[in-house]
Amino acid sequence: LAEVPPDRRSSRQQLVNIADSYFEATEHAQGRLAPFAEHCVRHENGMQTTSNTPPQPWPVPLGSKEADAAMAYIGSLNCDAQLDTHVMDYIGRLWPRRYEVVDEQKGLVFAFPMFQHPGMAAPVKIVGVPGVDSLPLGRSSSNMQAGEIFKIVGGKIVSVEAMGAFLPYGTPSGWDE
């Protein structure tokens, strides 16, 4: 909630573009597409999902000791490195994306993206994670209407606070797209 010093603030459009780059980075499994601060942290539904030191067990068992250890390792990575593993490849599309609240003084963007999970017959191929080359993620199809708050300082994403509710696959957002 701290104000961003005036010399480290971004314009409204820059803030929206930076938040949008996060969704592009997620869709394309390329952390470099978004300007993440090295110390960026993401929370999902109250749980820290990046930069966990030491690595924390994943709360949902994936069926093997190796997969659970891989998810703990992935959860220890920072925001950009985690996306580079392709762990979110089960997300088919993040659309529509709505940017409803933008606060230049606080460096905050409140976005409402729709996560579209088409469901995958095969495991997600994982890159750069010791001990695994795939994980059983995204097996079922669904949509998730999310609310995500980005804290942006000096043009870099320093934190992401995400929450969401799962819906049947294909459910529209309720707003004109």
Side-chain angles (χ1 to χ4, degrees):
L1 297 175
E3 285 195 12
V4 175
D7 64 330
R8 302 203 63 213
R9 290 181 187 164
S10 300
S11 72
R12 176 182 176 79
Q13 190 59 55
Q14 289 169 326
L15 291 168
V16 169
N17 291 347
I18 291 167
D20 195 67
S21 73
Y22 170 83
F23 299 126
E24 289 296 314
T26 301
E27 277 188 3
H28 298 287
Q30 295 179 17
R32 65 179 165 71
L33 295 179
F36 290 110
E38 180 64 30
H39 61 279
C40 175
V41 174
R42 185 178 65 246
H43 292 92
E44 298 177 23
N45 293 322
M47 184 179 109
Q48 186 168 324
T49 57
T50 62
S51 305
N52 285 301
T53 306
Q56 301 295 313
W58 195 246
V60 179
L62 293 179
S64 74
K65 185 177 177 180
E66 295 79 18
D68 293 343
M71 285 304 294
Y73 173 81
I74 290 169
S76 74
L77 299 173
N78 63 15
C79 293
D80 56 341
Q82 188 180 81
L83 292 177
D84 291 343
T85 69
H86 290 250
V87 70
M88 296 198 189
D89 275 3
Y90 65 91
I91 300 167
R93 189 168 185 217
L94 283 151
W95 193 263
R97 305 170 188 171
R98 299 175 55 239
Y99 304 95
E100 293 301 314
V101 179
V102 179
D103 185 328
E104 294 175 21
Q105 284 182 290
K106 304 278 187 188
L108 298 174
V109 178
F110 196 174
F112 292 94
M114 179 69 81
F115 284 69
Q116 298 178 20
H117 309 119
M120 301 181 71
V124 171
K125 298 290 182 198
I126 299 296
V127 176
V129 176
V132 299
D133 60 2
S134 66
L135 289 170
L137 302 168
R139 295 286 173 106
S140 61
S141 59
S142 66
N143 278 13
M144 183 178 69
Q145 182 62 68
E148 303 208 14
I149 302 171
F150 298 89
K151 177 72 171 187
I152 300 166
V153 178
K156 303 261 188 201
I157 301 170
V158 298
S159 68
V160 181
E161 299 291 331
M163 64 238 81
F166 283 95
L167 304 165
Y169 186 65
T171 301
S173 69
W175 294 282
D176 290 336
E177 299 177 26

